[in-house]
Amino acid sequence: MPRESRKARRERASRIYDLLEREYPEARTALEHANPFELAVATILSAQCTDERVNMVTPGLFRRFPDAEALASAPLEELEEIVHSTGFFRSKARNLVGMARAVLAQHSGELPRTLAELTRLPGIGRKTANVILGNAFGLDEGVVVDTHVKRLSGRLGLSAEATPEKIERDLMEVFPRERWTPLSHLLIFHGRQVCVARKPRCGACVVAALCPSALV
Ligand code: SF4
């Protein structure tokens, strides 16, 4: 197969995006939140856990500890019990308290709006920071690369890389900035419903004609 030029890849990527956008108009983060701080908490809890499970835990958590000030002084044992079902509960509870304390001490209780400041907070890496910036502040600073985005980027021939950082860089190169946040939602929706890990349903896929891995 001839190597695809950058221009051709961008055009193909744009058509893929348009088709997925039409297919999943409801694509957005499934993590329920009322403000940026709640989204930060929910995203920390979502590591190695389903969004549905996180959404079962957060209403009670936010009632008990509604903001950075309350969470900063949360008794660790009580917090561990509340977040227990999301897995890795000890480190998550520790990160939540550490994050809340740092937000309180360094940012007057308000979540910062830059990648550099967010990634300095305990429990927040580049992926979590991108989720917060894109979904709570409407700032497209990067593409969230989770397991679905990683798998689909490879299958769709949008990145041959293996690490989230390099895949993100490839995606940022082929998609315009204003599409970075919705792109990951579209790929996640498609990855959950059609391009599933074990046996992709290529026969039911709206982007099959644009996919080098199509099994149809
Ligand atoms: S054609 Fe198949 S492999 Fe390609 S995106 Fe669709 S479901 Fe995935």
Side-chain angles (χ1 to χ4, degrees):
M1 223 175 113
R3 200 171 126 69
E4 187 179 36
S5 70
R6 186 177 295 182
K7 184 166 173 281
R9 185 177 293 192
R10 282 204 179 125
E11 282 169 9
R12 192 169 59 86
S14 175
R15 289 169 61 204
I16 289 172
Y17 184 98
D18 290 343
L19 288 165
L20 292 180
E21 192 181 39
R22 203 175 311 156
E23 189 73 359
Y24 308 109
E26 75 286 15
R28 59 178 185 84
T29 179
L31 292 171
E32 283 162 18
H33 63 282
N35 54 54
F37 187 75
E38 287 191 2
L39 182 59
V41 171
T43 310
I44 288 174
L45 292 178
S46 72
Q48 310 286 320
C49 180
T50 64
D51 293 347
E52 290 73 24
R53 166 59 56 191
V54 173
N55 288 340
M56 286 181 208
V57 167
T58 46
L61 176 63
F62 296 148
R63 260 196 310 276
R64 178 76 178 89
F65 306 111
D67 51 25
E69 197 174 348
L71 197 57
S73 52
L76 212 50
E77 264 183 33
E78 183 186 350
L79 193 56
E80 284 176 359
E81 203 177 307
I82 295 173
V83 304
H84 191 278
S85 65
T86 68
F88 302 98
F89 63 97
R90 287 209 176 85
S91 67
K92 285 182 183 176
R94 221 177 22 248
N95 280 333
L96 288 179
V97 170
M99 185 271 289
R101 284 183 182 162
V103 167
L104 199 61
Q106 296 156 27
H107 304 283
S108 314
E110 295 288 326
L111 213 61
R113 291 172 172 247
T114 68
L115 195 63
E117 289 171 308
L118 281 169
T119 51
R120 275 201 290 272
L121 299 172
I124 298 192
R126 186 179 170 94
K127 179 167 155 243
T128 304
N130 275 336
V131 171
I132 297 164
L133 290 168
N135 297 284
F137 295 128
L139 299 170
D140 292 286
E141 290 296 327
V143 181
V144 174
V145 179
D146 76 344
T147 177
H148 298 292
V149 175
K150 187 175 173 191
R151 183 176 72 253
L152 269 70
S153 298
R155 285 180 178 168
L156 285 164
L158 297 174
S159 176
E161 299 290 352
T163 66
E165 295 75 21
K166 289 182 179 171
I167 293 169
E168 181 183 6
R169 204 185 51 206
D170 284 347
L171 295 176
M172 287 163 76
E173 203 180 282
V174 286
F175 291 93
R177 179 178 274 260
E178 68 274 13
R179 289 187 159 181
W180 290 352
T181 299
L183 171 67
S184 58
H185 297 314
L186 293 172
L187 293 178
I188 290 167
F189 268 59
H190 196 54
R192 283 184 178 149
Q193 295 178 34
V194 179
C195 193
V196 292
R198 283 191 158 202
K199 210 169 168 218
R201 298 170 47 229
C202 303
C205 177
V206 290
V207 294
L210 299 164
C211 177
S213 313
L215 303 169
V216 286

